Amino acid sequence: MTTEDLIRTGYRARVANTPDGRTMAEALVTVIMPARNAAGTIGKSIQSVRSQSFKDWELIVIDDASEDRTAEIVKWFIAKDKRIRLLRLPKWRGVAAARNRGLDLARTRFIAFLDSDDAWEPQKLERQIAFMMESGTAITFGAYRRVDVEGNTLGVVVPPTKVSRRMMLRSNFIGNLTAVFDRQRLPDLRFKPVGNEDYVFWVNALEQLREPVLATPGATPIARYRVAGDSLSGNKINSLRWQWENYRRNLGFGLVRSSFYLTSYALHGLIKRRPSKDA
């Protein structure tokens, strides 16, 4: 059944109650976008959401105390599209806190994330929501294209068709910009203020589920991840240091086990960064 079929048969009108008594619209997706001094990139990111073939979404932009024209640009889009909302934080809180504020404001069953310098392909949400309804997976994710600041392809990352918590200990197979999760299945999921916070988020999700989750079928990229020289996630040394801390402190692993998984994580990271043949 396609997404259009679900909406056509009245699926959108049905609601479910969350554990805290809120009403959650079942066929609506909330897109959470944290932003910090993103005036140069956020327009393209927002437009990629507006260009989705799946129209039943809301976008919540969390402006993390930006000092540039980020909020002004978002307000320009709000004037054109009432599905977009803006929350401005009075002082810098960090990406984990910003995403958590978005989760606080979301009132939908399905949640997706997009950073203010990344972008989606037009069929992304349509393919994923239909697949989640058909398969019953609580989380889905997919292939994405790594691009430079000019938009040139650096490589394509294609995840495994199925990911378990044990697999995630070896590498982050769930690209945050490609993921959608079902909040009915994971109502209390939150980001922690740690390095590689998205990795910890999905590991915790898999621990709660106690079952594997499925990739959206197909190797065609559904998103574009922008690799910038000054981006936090682009700093390989920091990333490995944060990952070591995650294994040792957040997951409680010993030295030998942490060393084993960090080696695997580093090797998979090199594979991700391998240039594409058509780049």
Side-chain angles (χ1 to χ4, degrees):
M1 181 178 287
T2 67
T3 305
E4 288 87 350
D5 291 333
L6 291 170
I7 297 172
R8 191 180 302 117
T9 55
Y11 181 80
R12 181 183 182 186
R14 300 203 300 274
V15 298
N17 292 323
T18 62
D20 62 0
R22 292 183 288 108
T23 297
M24 180 180 289
E26 285 199 27
L28 188 68
V29 181
T30 296
V31 184
I32 296 174
M33 181 181 291
R36 166 75 176 172
N37 294 335
T41 59
I42 196 169
K44 290 183 178 179
S45 300
I46 292 175
Q47 188 56 45
S48 77
V49 178
R50 295 185 70 216
S51 298
Q52 291 296 297
S53 57
F54 179 84
K55 304 299 183 184
D56 200 7
W57 52 263
E58 68 169 355
L59 170 62
I60 301 176
V61 180
I62 311 298
D63 182 359
D64 196 8
S66 293
E67 299 170 341
D68 62 2
R69 296 177 56 250
T70 295
E72 181 181 339
I73 293 169
V74 177
K75 288 177 181 178
W76 184 86
F77 278 101
I78 290 173
K80 292 177 171 292
D81 196 327
K82 299 305 179 184
R83 294 173 295 179
I84 303 171
R85 300 160 62 188
L86 171 65
L87 173 66
R88 302 184 70 180
L89 302 182
K91 63 180 181 178
W92 179 79
R93 298 284 306 280
V95 67
R99 288 179 182 147
N100 285 338
R101 288 296 290 125
L103 289 170
D104 292 339
L105 295 172
R107 294 293 181 266
T108 64
R109 174 176 177 179
F110 299 108
I111 308 291
F113 301 99
L114 181 64
D115 285 351
S116 57
D117 57 352
D118 298 329
W120 286 345
E121 301 300 343
Q123 301 293 320
K124 192 240 187 218
L125 289 180
E126 180 179 352
R127 288 175 56 192
Q128 292 193 295
I129 299 304
F131 177 66
M132 293 182 79
M133 294 307 305
E134 292 166 1
S135 67
T137 186
I139 300 169
T140 195
F141 48 95
Y144 62 94
R145 193 180 304 276
R146 298 177 70 251
V147 301
D148 62 20
V149 294
E150 302 297 329
N152 301 308
T153 298
L154 300 174
V156 175
V157 179
V158 180
T161 58
K162 180 185 295 186
V163 170
S164 65
R165 180 181 181 275
R166 189 170 185 176
M167 292 174 65
M168 278 288 287
L169 295 178
R170 292 175 174 269
S171 179
N172 188 0
F173 292 111
I174 300 178
N176 198 58
L177 76 166
T178 73
V180 180
F181 79 92
D182 185 342
R183 211 173 189 187
Q184 286 186 351
R185 302 277 303 278
L186 294 161
D188 302 316
L189 204 55
R190 307 282 288 182
F191 286 89
K192 294 182 178 181
V194 296
N196 292 347
E197 72 289 327
D198 53 339
Y199 169 83
V200 175
F201 182 84
W202 297 116
V203 169
N204 288 340
L206 288 164
E207 185 170 5
Q208 291 181 37
L209 289 171
R210 298 187 180 279
E211 65 184 33
V213 294
L214 306 177
T216 305
T220 302
I222 58 176
R224 282 164 280 151
Y225 174 77
R226 183 175 178 268
V227 179
D230 59 349
S231 68
L232 287 176
S233 56
N235 190 317
K236 302 177 185 63
I237 295 176
N238 277 343
S239 180
L240 289 175
R241 177 172 56 82
W242 294 331
Q243 195 61 19
W244 177 257
E245 292 295 316
N246 286 330
Y247 289 136
R248 294 288 284 141
R249 295 186 179 182
N250 296 317
L251 296 172
F253 293 166
L255 283 171
V256 174
R257 195 178 183 190
S258 296
S259 298
F260 170 80
Y261 282 124
L262 186 67
T263 300
S264 175
Y265 186 91
L267 290 174
H268 279 91
L270 290 174
I271 293 172
K272 284 183 183 179
R273 291 172 174 82
R274 186 171 54 194
S276 173
K277 293 181 180 179
D278 58 353

